[in-house]
Structure formats: C-alpha cells, structure tokens
C-alpha cells in the first residue's frame, strides 16, 4: 500500500525529529504537571471529587493545544510544507501522518499526566483511560487541520486556541461525562461519533488548506 | 444579473422585510392571546425564535456557498459565504440578547446554562468570531478563500454535534432547572403569527445580505481598478 507507506514515512519523520530535539514532548509533560499543581491550589478545600476530573480535562485540552501550536513549527521555519505539497503523494497523507505523530505526543504526555493525576487527586478508572484515548484521536484530527490553518496566518500561535476551543467543547463534555457519569457508555459512544465525523471531514478538507 | 434587476431585488426584499416584520409584531402584540403561564411576556417568542432560526439559515447558506467554492473551485463564492457568516453572526448576537431578556423576564436571571438554545448560540458565537480572526490574519487570495470555506463547513457540522453535546451535558454537568416547551403545541393564531415573523426575519436577513454583498463587490471592483491605475 503506497498511501500508508507515505503516511508511515511522514509520521516517522516527526517522531525522529522529536526524538532528536525532545522540546515539544518535554514541554507538554512539564506543562500538564504544572497545570495540575496550579489546579490543586484553585480548588476550595471541601470540593467534591468530581470537580478534579473536570480540571483534568481542562489540563489535557490545554496541553494538547500547547503541543499542536508546535505541530507545524518545523514545517514553517524550514519551509518543509512547500516540499511536502509538491511531493508525489496524496495531500491527505500529510494530514494523517501529522495526526498520528500528534496522537503519539499526546499519549506520551498523558502517560505522565494520568499517574500524576492519580497521585495528586482521584484514582484513574478504565472509563477515563478509554475517554482520554478517544479524545486524543478527535483532538489530533481536528487540531492538525486547524494548526495547518493557523500556521498559514499572521497570528500563528495566537490563532490556534481561538479556532480549536469552540470545536473542543463536545470533547470536554464527552470526556468529563465518561469520567464521572454512572453510564459512561453513552459518552464514550458520543466521543467515538465525534472522532468519526471530524476525522472524515478533516481528512477530506486538508488538501484545500495547504495548497496555495 | 443586470444592475437594475439587482437593485429591484434589494428594494423588494427590504420592503417585504419591513411589511412582514411590522405585520408580525402587530399580530404578536394585538392578535395572539396571552400565553397560559407566561402571559404577556411570552410574546418575545415571536422575535427570539425566528431570529434564531434565521441565524441557522445564514450559517447553512454560508456552508452551502463554501461547499460550492470547494467543489467548483470558483472563488466567486468566497464573498457570498463570508457575507452569510457575517449576517449569521449578527442574528446570532441578536438571539443571545433576546434570549437573555426572555430568561430575565421568565426566571429573573440573565443567563441560564440549562437553556440549550442559548448555550448553543454562545458556542456558535465563539466559533464564528474565530472565523473573522482567521480571515483577517491571512493574506487575501485563493488559499484564504478555501480556508474560510473549510471552516464554514466545520461550523455547520459543529451545530448538531454541539447540540448533542449540550443535551448530554444537561443534568450531569449543568442541572436542569427550567423546562420550557415552546414548540410543543402552537395554536392556529400563534403558528400564523410565528410564520409571519419568521418570514419577516428571513426577508430582513436576505435584504441585508444582498446589500452587504453588493457593497463588498463594489469595494473589490474599486480596489482592482485602483490597482490597475497605479
């Protein structure tokens, strides 16, 4: 399969770059731990346990935004995107490769964040882990497309949170619901639906965003 | 379309909007009987709901034009899509304002997270405000047109997804305090008044849209001519 070997090569390129510099991943980990510590001071003493799950989702969302603002940094600074667009591969492969790399970064950051959350606040349940995985897929799908848009704008890093936050509200609803509800299946199903819809939409529309 | 015909359409739409809105308001205030529980103040329904539906129509129209742009690769649709989003945002803000007034008169609060439509419009307001931020920070050209079109298409998908999310969040994250079944059973006179008001707001939106579009096209033409001169 030619398409998937292109995707694999593009994702490997991002992971190798990250392995050599390690700046995005390390800043995401530090950021999410620091956010959790700040949140522990922002909760009143007699807060119910559910509130900390809500804060965890805010921390995860902000960490994802932090990682996504750097997603196209190398491409922009070294003008790699022009070369990629000219390369004889499907443009949606660029999106898929980048989204896979973003999922990998998010998952690595959460491998630190979730144990830290369990240590500082509440236990991590299987429903929470499932919701985090589904939310990562959705955030990476939408976020990669919007990051490509933001990278083409003059406002750059400033623009991405403005574009992404309204679109991420359903993810937060699904994630918080799956973590605290008695019936997490509905919320996990909703997250899966969100992923499906927006992954197809982003996959189909990426080409229009990167070509001149 | 010739200029005179376009002018005629604009005038006809403006007159229709004026007559229908005036008639609708007169019907709402003098003809429709008081609502059983809410009484006189329920009449804001005849403004609030048509304005909200018109905002949806504008966003839908913008997405349709965006789809045409991406499909036919014709940049002409960019200005139309942009103007439709502009109108949608104006009517969206009006929805937030009238909904807030209604919440205040009914329950004594300016804002209630239990009110689905209002929360949805707040999300849409944020989303489409970012549309303008995106447009103004990208250099004009075919790429900006396509990026705006993709974003407008995302918006029309976000509307049902957000609505579902807000319904799911209800009761779990925000407690349901109020339940208002406005659309449950409209009597004949109420339905007629509502339809007149809805036609009025649609005509108003269309009239504003046509005027704005003409203005923007003239603006663009003028800029082209000026560039050709220098």
């Amino acid at each position: 399969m030619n398409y998937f070997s292109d995707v694999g090569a593009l994702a490997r390129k991002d992971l190798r770059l990250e392995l050599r510099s390690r700046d995005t991943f390390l800043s995401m980990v530090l950021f999410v731990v620091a956010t959790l510590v700040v949140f522990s001071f922002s909760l009143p003493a007699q807060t119910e346990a559910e509130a900390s799950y809500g804060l965890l989702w805010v921390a995860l969302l902000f960490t994802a935004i932090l990682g996504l603002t750097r997603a196209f940094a190398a491409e922009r600074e070294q003008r790699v995107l022009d070369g990629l667009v000219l390369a004889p591969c499907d443009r949606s492969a660029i999106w898929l490769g980048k989204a896979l790399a973003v999922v990998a970064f998010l998952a690595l950051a959460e491998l630190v964040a979730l144990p830290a959350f369990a240590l500082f606040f509440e236990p991590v349940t299987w429903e929470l882990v499932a919701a985090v995985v589904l939310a990562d897929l959705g955030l990476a799908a939408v976020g990669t497309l919007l990051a490509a848009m933001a990278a083409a704008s003059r406002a750059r890093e400033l623009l991405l949170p403005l574009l992404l936050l309204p679109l991420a509200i359903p993810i937060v609803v699904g994630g918080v619901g799956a973590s605290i509800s008695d019936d997490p299946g509905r919320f996990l199903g909703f997250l899966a639906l969100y992923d499906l819809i927006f992954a197809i939409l982003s996959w189909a529309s990426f080409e229009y965003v990167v070509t001149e | 379309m010739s200029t005179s015909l376009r002018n005629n359409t604009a005038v006809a739409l403006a007159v229709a909007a004026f007559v229908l809105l005036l008639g609708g308001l007169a019907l709402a205030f003098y003809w429709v009987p008081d609502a059983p529980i809410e009484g006189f103040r329920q009449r804001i329904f005849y403004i609030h709901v048509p304005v909200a539906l018109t905002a949806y129509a504008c966003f839908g129209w913008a997405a349709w034009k965006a789809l045409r742009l991406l499909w036919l690769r014709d940049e002409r649709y960019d200005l139309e899509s942009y103007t439709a989003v502009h109108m949608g945002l104006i009517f969206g803000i009006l929805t937030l304002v009238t909904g807030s007034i209604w919440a205040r008169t009914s329950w004594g609060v300016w804002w209630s997270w239990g009110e689905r439509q209002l929360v949805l419009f707040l999300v849409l307001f944020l989303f489409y405000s970012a549309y303008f931020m995106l447009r103004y920070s990208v250099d004009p050209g075919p790429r900006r047109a396509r990026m705006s079109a993709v974003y407008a298409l995302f918006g029309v998908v976000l509307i049902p997804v957000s609505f579902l999310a807000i319904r799911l969040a209800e009761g779990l994250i925000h407690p349901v305090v109020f339940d208002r079944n406005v659309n449950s059973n409209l009597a004949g006179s109420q339905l007629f008044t509502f339809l007149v008001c809805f036609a009025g707001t649609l005509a108003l939106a269309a009239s504003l849209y046509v005027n704005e579009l003409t203005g923007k096209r003239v603006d663009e033409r003028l800029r082209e001519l000026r560039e050709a001169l220098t």
Side-chain angles (χ1 to χ4, degrees):
Chain A
M1 291 298 279
N2 203 4
Y3 185 79
F4 288 105
S5 63
D6 288 346
V7 170
L10 287 161
R12 264 202 311 279
K13 170 209 67 158
D14 280 332
L15 293 176
R16 187 169 298 153
L17 268 178
E18 183 56 34
L19 266 179
R20 292 195 182 145
S21 65
R22 293 194 192 84
D23 49 357
T24 307
F25 165 65
L26 278 181
S27 46
M28 280 168 82
V29 167
L30 266 179
F31 178 81
V32 75
V33 174
T35 316
L36 286 177
V37 173
V38 169
F39 281 163
S40 75
F41 290 103
S42 68
L43 283 176
Q46 279 87 36
T47 319
E48 287 173 50
E50 276 91 3
S52 53
Y53 285 105
L55 292 183
L56 171 72
W57 279 95
V58 177
L60 293 181
L61 179 60
F62 286 177
T63 310
I65 289 178
L66 187 79
L68 282 166
T69 52
R70 297 292 301 164
F72 282 96
E75 270 84 352
R76 203 185 59 225
E77 283 157 15
Q78 314 288 334
R79 304 191 63 78
V80 177
L81 208 53
D82 296 345
L84 287 180
V85 170
L86 287 173
C89 73
D90 201 305
R91 272 75 179 252
S92 63
I94 307 172
W95 171 82
L96 194 52
K98 183 64 81 179
L100 286 178
V102 169
V103 168
F105 293 159
L106 281 173
L108 282 173
E110 278 144 7
L111 274 180
V112 179
L114 289 181
F117 178 76
L119 178 71
F120 294 151
F121 297 98
E122 299 293 322
V124 172
T125 58
W126 282 113
E127 292 85 26
L128 178 59
V129 174
V132 165
V133 170
L134 286 172
D136 283 357
L137 296 178
L139 278 172
V142 178
T144 305
L145 180 87
L146 295 180
M149 283 191 189
S153 73
R154 283 188 299 272
R156 305 227 152 118
E157 283 78 12
L158 263 179
L159 195 60
L160 183 68
L162 299 179
L163 297 176
L164 185 59
L165 281 178
L167 274 164
I169 290 173
I171 295 183
V172 173
V173 170
V176 174
S179 340
I180 63 172
S181 160
D182 301 324
D183 177 20
R186 285 169 67 211
F187 291 92
L188 291 176
F190 174 70
L191 278 174
L193 182 74
Y194 180 97
D195 291 355
L196 189 69
I197 293 172
F198 280 99
I200 291 174
L201 203 58
S202 311
W203 176 76
S205 55
F206 186 75
E207 180 182 349
Y208 299 111
V209 171
V210 284
T211 44
E212 282 295 336
Chain B
M1 204 176 359
S2 72
T3 322
S4 69
L5 191 64
R6 204 184 289 146
N7 282 346
N8 284 343
T9 320
V11 171
L13 278 172
V15 170
F18 183 74
V19 171
L20 283 168
L21 277 179
L22 211 64
L25 284 181
L27 289 175
F29 279 109
Y30 296 108
W31 186 47
V32 175
D34 270 350
I37 303 158
E38 288 211 74
F40 182 79
R41 58 174 188 247
Q42 189 263 344
R43 283 161 215 262
I44 197 172
F45 162 82
Y46 299 105
I47 304 291
H48 173 70
V49 179
V51 164
L53 292 177
T54 306
Y56 285 134
C58 290
F59 293 141
W61 187 249
W64 166 243
K65 290 294 180 186
L67 193 66
R68 303 269 293 174
L69 185 146
L70 295 179
W71 197 258
L72 303 173
R73 297 189 171 269
D74 188 346
E75 266 185 74
R76 217 159 24 106
Y77 295 109
D78 178 48
L79 217 50
E80 301 179 7
S81 176
Y82 168 54
T83 314
V85 170
H86 193 169
M87 292 306 131
L89 194 65
I90 291 173
F91 277 83
I93 293 170
L94 269 181
T95 307
L96 284 175
V97 171
T98 52
S100 187
I101 293 170
W102 195 1
R104 171 75 183 149
T105 54
S106 298
W107 313 312
V109 287
W110 289 107
W111 185 260
S112 157
W113 286 108
E115 188 57 43
R116 280 177 209 159
Q117 286 288 333
L118 275 186
V119 178
L120 179 57
F121 267 95
L122 191 61
V123 174
L124 290 181
F125 170 72
L126 291 174
F127 181 84
Y128 283 105
S129 302
Y131 175 91
F132 288 92
M133 297 291 289
L134 176 70
R135 260 191 100 86
Y136 288 129
S137 75
V138 180
D139 294 323
R143 192 174 181 191
R144 182 178 82 166
R146 284 197 303 268
M147 269 163 58
S148 310
V150 167
Y151 198 71
L153 272 182
F154 266 68
V156 91
V157 176
L158 183 69
I159 292 174
V161 171
S162 288
F163 187 73
L164 201 60
I166 291 161
R167 274 191 76 148
L168 276 173
E170 236 169 42
L172 180 75
I173 296 165
H174 307 304
V176 184
V177 186
F178 310 108
D179 192 19
R180 181 164 71 189
N181 290 315
V182 278
N183 292 322
S184 51
N185 38 13
L186 289 175
S189 65
Q190 290 171 319
L191 184 64
F192 180 73
T193 309
F194 168 73
L195 288 177
V196 171
C197 286
F198 185 31
T201 50
L202 274 182
L204 180 65
S207 158
L208 290 170
Y209 170 79
V210 168
N211 274 316
E212 180 82 9
L213 197 59
T214 315
K216 285 205 172 105
R217 282 204 177 124
V218 170
D219 215 32
E220 198 166 272
R221 187 90 189 92
L222 198 64
R223 201 177 307 127
E224 278 167 13
L225 286 174
R226 204 174 279 154
E227 273 168 16
L229 269 175
T230 47

